[in-house]
Amino acid sequence: MKIALVQMNVVATPKDNLAHAKELLQEAKNLGADIAVLPEIFICGYNNACFPEHAQPENSPFMEEMAKMVGELGIYLVAGSIPELDGDLIYNTSYVYNPQGEIIAKHRKMHLFDIDVKGGQYFKESDVLSPGDTFTTFATPWGKMGLMICFDIRFPELARLLTLDGAKGIFVPAAFNMTTGPAHWELSFRARAMDNQVYMAGVSPARNTEASYVAYGHSISTSPWGDVIHQMDVTEGVAIVEWDLEQVDRIREQLPFLSGRRRDLYELQKK
Amino acid sequence: MKIALVQMNVVATPKDNLAHAKELLQEAKNLGADIAVLPEIFICGYNNACFPEHAQPENSPFMEEMAKMVGELGIYLVAGSIPELDGDLIYNTSYVYNPQGEIIAKHRKMHLFDIDVKGGQYFKESDVLSPGDTFTTFATPWGKMGLMICFDIRFPELARLLTLDGAKGIFVPAAFNMTTGPAHWELSFRARAMDNQVYMAGVSPARNTEASYVAYGHSISTSPWGDVIHQMDVTEGVAIVEWDLEQVDRIREQLPFLSGRRRDLYELQKK
């Protein structure tokens, strides 16, 4: 099972980004990818002005073009995320397509990114966005997968619940910044992978130091043993990583982190 | 607030270990430690034969001697762990003493260590030990602290619950091995610290390659930002680390990992 991390350089306009994504996804297809993953908010620059300006209803020409593109490529696509317009509300939403270009899952970012690090990053998504309220997994021919977006990874509860729902791999379109990226990006992906004994894939935009929000890059995949399988640098590119989902079961047998939970003493539950 | 990581070389007999611990704790005291931490099962070699042979009821001469030692030193002590005999049952138990030598908390290892890594470590504590069933925090003049033992750290639920109970630092007497140590020791301490924005201190026995169970060493402390404050090597020694518990509140304000939990969608609760 081959996963393509598509660390694309995101520009200001949706049309240009979609055309560029198409080129990179063709490269991923040529490299034998089964599932390709784009970064968070790949249709415009990641900032609170972009979200309302470029938010897409599900029947927009952009969305039709995206579905057509995926059908032509014939590949599973975790389509990063886009600002989704639903009535008056805007969500940060990741759509998943099957190789026929049909949407098989969508995840609305559940934990909005509101941070204020002294001398570091400030950002407040909740000024503009609404949070999602569903836990997202989807079936593939290789096994069940989970889906979250960027700041969602900060909350160990979500990765645990996706794992308990049967996810053996979790995809995370993301855009960590130059404060939290160096400090926490690799650590977060390794930790969620180790604790839940799942594969993880995190895809960031390439780093653009001229942008108002500078993404860390370093798209990554980690193994159910907690190792880094591959980590990219900061420039644009497509990296292929291989996942062996049987490894998930083998590791869970050796180290009983899931079966060893003391469910008689504590329980994590959806409401 | 100064924490002493006391990475002692553990031998076979309780009497020798207690005498040796006293020397090292005096060194910790001389270095200005407020709280000293000993390793898991510091009274005999970590193996399933040791547990029943040296298990201590709470009124044993060994326990009286330990209380007397702490009172003479006048220091808070997280007394690693010992096999505790209670009726017919044996627990892996960590006692905490105040500077008057009084027991102010005890934690019985909640998650027993049962692993079977192919080509790596095999161990089954549950052959001999019974698991504890209480969540352990204790008050100090600096703030509330949490307590767990070794394999307990594998379960993110426990560190989260101790944090929600108010712990700003979590002590972990432990003895990772040569399979899981290099793979997961540092990662586990960094992850729990980052996710819960707490200080962590993990203390291992020094490495003894002649023992049946070879401990990884590398006693460690991590910060609420997820950094390693200090990590020891494999040989015996006392290391002092400084904790500033106000840093916990500052980081929680900047990165709202606790207040940002979607408690309307999921909840981790004790039973």
Side-chain angles (χ1 to χ4, degrees):
Chain A
M1 180 186 187
K2 289 186 175 176
I3 312 298
L5 312 176
V6 182
Q7 181 167 290
M8 78 179 259
N9 190 31
V10 175
V11 296
T13 53
K15 199 181 139 206
D16 293 338
N17 284 315
L18 192 58
H20 188 41
K22 197 170 179 173
E23 294 168 3
L24 294 170
L25 292 171
Q26 185 61 58
E27 187 183 335
K29 171 78 178 177
N30 296 346
L31 291 168
D34 297 303
I35 303 184
V37 190
L38 288 168
E40 185 179 19
I41 306 291
F42 73 96
I43 76 167
C44 56
Y46 180 85
N47 61 69
N48 274 347
C50 149
F51 300 155
E53 188 179 348
H54 296 298
Q56 304 289 328
E58 286 196 1
N59 60 357
S60 75
F62 179 93
M63 291 298 283
E64 282 171 16
E65 186 61 33
M66 192 143 80
K68 188 167 151 253
M69 172 187 81
V70 179
E72 285 170 6
L73 280 167
I75 195 173
Y76 279 88
L77 178 65
V78 177
S81 78
I82 64 164
E84 174 204 1
L85 185 65
D86 184 5
D88 289 340
L89 300 180
I90 305 172
Y91 299 92
N92 186 339
T93 304
S94 179
Y95 290 92
V96 180
Y97 294 84
N98 68 14
Q100 290 76 50
E102 298 157 342
I103 291 172
I104 58 169
K106 67 185 271 191
H107 177 70
R108 289 171 167 173
K109 194 176 195 172
M110 181 184 277
H111 304 86
L112 295 182
F113 179 56
D114 290 344
I115 76 162
D116 184 6
V117 179
K118 262 167 207 156
Q121 188 70 46
Y122 171 86
F123 204 97
K124 202 165 180 198
E125 277 190 333
S126 63
D127 283 345
V128 178
L129 299 180
S130 296
D133 58 8
T134 53
F135 300 84
T136 311
T137 56
F138 58 96
T140 72
W142 305 275
K144 203 187 256 194
M145 300 293 155
L147 184 59
M148 56 172 77
I149 300 174
C150 200
F151 203 55
D152 283 336
I153 201 175
R154 292 304 206 162
F155 300 84
E157 291 88 347
L158 180 54
R160 185 63 121 203
L161 285 166
L162 295 178
T163 300
L164 296 176
D165 280 343
K168 295 188 168 183
I170 298 178
F171 296 99
V172 194
F176 271 42
N177 56 66
M178 297 304 296
T179 300
T180 57
H184 298 154
W185 172 261
E186 178 182 315
L187 177 59
S188 298
F189 280 90
R190 290 190 65 203
R192 300 292 171 264
M194 171 184 71
D195 287 341
N196 297 294
Q197 308 176 302
V198 293
Y199 284 96
M200 301 285 299
V203 175
S204 165
R207 188 177 300 169
N208 173 3
T209 52
E210 321 246 297
S212 70
Y213 181 96
V214 181
Y216 178 57
H218 284 264
S219 297
I220 193 170
S221 180
T222 49
S223 84
W225 186 252
D227 291 328
V228 175
I229 303 171
H230 186 71
Q231 186 165 185
M232 300 177 75
D233 201 334
V234 303
T235 55
E236 180 169 276
V238 176
I240 301 286
V241 292
E242 293 213 39
W243 290 2
D244 169 12
L245 294 192
E246 286 176 20
Q247 189 65 1
V248 169
D249 300 317
R250 282 193 290 267
I251 288 173
R252 288 179 184 178
E253 233 173 85
Q254 294 174 33
L255 296 170
F257 297 165
L258 293 172
S259 60
R261 286 172 302 135
R262 293 294 307 276
R263 295 179 60 194
D264 55 329
L265 299 180
Y266 54 76
E267 185 89 81
L268 172 64
Q269 282 181 316
K270 296 182 204 167
K271 287 198 169 170
Chain B
M1 180 187 186
K2 290 187 176 177
I3 313 297
L5 313 176
V6 181
Q7 180 168 288
M8 78 178 258
N9 190 31
V10 175
V11 295
T13 51
K15 198 182 142 207
D16 294 338
N17 285 315
L18 192 59
H20 189 40
K22 196 169 181 175
E23 294 168 5
L24 294 170
L25 292 171
Q26 185 62 57
E27 187 182 336
K29 172 79 178 179
N30 295 346
L31 291 167
D34 298 302
I35 303 184
V37 190
L38 287 169
E40 185 180 18
I41 305 292
F42 73 95
I43 76 166
C44 56
Y46 180 83
N47 60 68
N48 273 347
C50 150
F51 301 154
E53 189 179 347
H54 296 298
Q56 304 290 328
E58 287 195 1
N59 59 359
S60 75
F62 179 93
M63 292 297 284
E64 281 169 19
E65 186 60 33
M66 192 143 80
K68 188 168 152 253
M69 171 187 81
V70 179
E72 285 170 6
L73 281 165
I75 193 172
Y76 278 88
L77 177 66
V78 177
S81 78
I82 64 164
E84 174 204 1
L85 186 65
D86 183 6
D88 289 340
L89 301 180
I90 306 171
Y91 300 92
N92 185 338
T93 302
S94 179
Y95 291 91
V96 180
Y97 295 84
N98 68 14
Q100 290 75 48
E102 298 157 341
I103 292 172
I104 57 169
K106 67 185 268 191
H107 177 69
R108 289 170 167 174
K109 195 176 195 173
M110 182 184 279
H111 303 86
L112 294 182
F113 179 55
D114 290 345
I115 75 161
D116 184 6
V117 178
K118 263 169 206 152
Q121 187 69 46
Y122 171 87
F123 205 96
K124 204 165 179 199
E125 278 189 333
S126 63
D127 283 345
V128 179
L129 299 180
S130 296
D133 58 7
T134 52
F135 300 84
T136 311
T137 56
F138 58 96
T140 73
W142 305 275
K144 204 188 254 193
M145 301 292 156
L147 183 59
M148 56 171 78
I149 299 174
C150 200
F151 203 55
D152 284 335
I153 200 176
R154 293 303 206 165
F155 300 83
E157 290 88 347
L158 180 55
R160 185 64 119 201
L161 286 166
L162 296 178
T163 301
L164 296 176
D165 280 343
K168 295 189 167 183
I170 298 177
F171 295 98
V172 193
F176 271 42
N177 56 67
M178 297 305 296
T179 300
T180 57
H184 298 154
W185 172 261
E186 178 183 315
L187 177 59
S188 297
F189 280 91
R190 290 190 64 203
R192 299 293 171 262
M194 171 184 70
D195 287 342
N196 297 295
Q197 307 177 301
V198 292
Y199 284 94
M200 302 284 299
V203 175
S204 166
R207 189 178 298 170
N208 172 3
T209 52
E210 321 245 299
S212 69
Y213 181 97
V214 180
Y216 178 57
H218 285 263
S219 297
I220 192 170
S221 180
T222 50
S223 83
W225 186 253
D227 291 328
V228 175
I229 302 171
H230 186 71
Q231 186 166 184
M232 300 177 75
D233 201 333
V234 304
T235 54
E236 180 169 276
V238 176
I240 301 287
V241 292
E242 293 214 38
W243 290 2
D244 168 12
L245 294 191
E246 285 177 20
Q247 188 66 357
V248 168
D249 300 317
R250 283 193 289 268
I251 289 174
R252 288 179 184 177
E253 232 174 86
Q254 295 175 31
L255 295 171
F257 297 165
L258 294 173
S259 60
R261 286 172 302 134
R262 292 294 307 276
R263 296 180 59 193
D264 55 329
L265 300 179
Y266 54 77
E267 185 88 82
L268 172 64
Q269 282 180 317
K270 295 183 206 168
K271 286 196 169 173

